[in-house]
C-alpha cells in the first residue's frame, strides 16, 4: 500500500479486506490505478472505527439552455447552464445549498464544496481541476455504465478520484 501513498499500517486481514473491496469495485467499473485519493478512501473505510466525515443526503441537478443577448460567437445564441441543489450532513448539521456551474459536474462540485465549507473551511481552497467520463460497456447504448475520473486541486496539491 505504500506504493499508493498509504502511510498507515494494516493488518493482514485489513489488507485482504481492502484488496477484496478493490476487486469488487473494479468489477463494477472503478479503476484505482489513476485515482489515488479514491484508493486511500477505500482503505480508510475498511479500517475498524472509521466514521465518514459527511454524507451526501440528496442532490438534484437541473440543466437548461439560456438565451444570450450577445451571441456573436455562438451559432445557436444560447449556452448551457446547470444548477445543483445539494443536501449534505456533517454530524447533526444539515446544509441545504444551491450552486451554479457550466455543466452538471461543475454545479454538483460547487454545491458540495459550498455545503462542506460551512464546517470544513479548508475546502474553500479546493476546486475541480478536470474530469473525464469514460463509457465502460459501449454496446449497452444509453444503459452503458460509465466511469468518471475527477481531478481536484487546492493550488498546491492535486488528487484524483473515481466513480462508476
Amino acid at each position: 500500500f505504500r506504493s499508493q501513498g498509504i502511510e498507515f499500517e494494516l493488518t493482514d486481514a485489513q489488507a485482504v479486506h481492502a484488496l477484496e473491496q478493490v476487486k469488487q469495485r473494479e468489477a463494477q467499473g472503478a479503476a484505482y490505478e489513476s485515482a489515488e485519493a479514491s484508493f486511500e478512501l477505500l482503505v480508510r473505510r475498511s479500517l475498524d472505527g472509521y466514521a465518514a466525515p459527511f454524507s451526501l443526503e440528496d442532490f438534484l441537478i437541473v440543466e437548461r439552455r439560456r438565451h444570450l443577448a450577445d451571441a456573436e460567437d455562438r451559432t445557436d445564441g444560447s449556452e448551457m447552464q446547470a444548477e445543483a441543489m445539494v443536501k449534505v450532513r456533517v454530524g447533526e448539521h444539515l446544509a441545504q445549498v444551491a450552486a451554479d456551474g457550466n455543466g452538471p459536474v461543475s454545479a454538483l462540485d460547487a454545491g458540495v464544496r459550498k455545503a462542506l465549507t460551512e464546517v470544513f473551511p479548508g475546502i474553500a481552497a479546493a476546486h475541480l481541476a478536470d474530469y473525464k467520463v469514460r463509457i465502460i460497456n459501449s454496446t449497452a447504448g444509453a444503459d452503458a455504465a460509465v466511469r468518471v475520473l475527477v481531478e481536484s486541486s487546492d493550488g498546491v496539491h492535486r488528487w484524483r478520484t473515481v466513480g462508476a
Side-chain angles (χ1 to χ4, degrees):
F1 291 103
R2 287 201 200 313
S3 66
Q4 290 293 320
I6 307 297
E7 295 297 329
F8 45 87
E9 295 295 322
L10 298 176
T11 66
D12 288 345
Q14 289 170 327
V16 167
H17 179 71
L19 288 174
E20 288 171 359
Q21 292 292 311
V22 167
K23 289 177 185 178
Q24 178 185 6
R25 299 250 167 83
E26 286 188 342
Q28 297 169 342
Y32 292 96
E33 65 271 2
S34 61
E36 67 284 347
S38 286
F39 180 74
E40 181 173 344
L41 285 170
L42 180 140
V43 172
R44 287 184 183 277
R45 288 175 180 146
S46 72
L47 298 176
D48 294 335
Y50 172 81
F54 68 91
S55 64
L56 179 61
E57 299 282 315
D58 194 15
F59 68 91
L60 172 69
I61 300 172
V62 177
E63 290 185 278
R64 61 187 174 277
R65 286 203 177 270
R66 183 177 70 125
H67 181 71
L68 299 173
D70 180 16
E72 294 176 21
D73 62 341
R74 300 208 188 264
T75 57
D76 66 355
S78 65
E79 73 176 1
M80 287 298 296
Q81 280 191 310
E83 181 179 8
M85 284 70 69
V86 177
K87 290 181 185 178
V88 174
R89 181 174 303 281
V90 179
E92 296 299 315
H93 177 73
L94 179 66
Q96 187 169 344
V97 301
D100 294 321
N102 62 4
V105 174
S106 174
L108 186 58
D109 173 69
V112 171
R113 281 188 302 104
K114 185 176 180 181
L116 290 175
T117 299
E118 295 177 22
V119 178
F120 304 109
I123 297 277
H127 66 276
L128 176 66
D130 191 14
Y131 73 93
K132 296 172 181 67
V133 178
R134 300 285 184 255
I135 297 173
I136 296 171
N137 54 340
S138 60
T139 58
D143 291 331
V146 297
R147 176 182 303 135
V148 181
L149 299 167
V150 177
E151 186 170 339
S152 301
S153 176
D154 61 4
V156 177
H157 303 95
R158 290 177 95 75
W159 58 94
R160 290 173 293 279
T161 56
V162 65

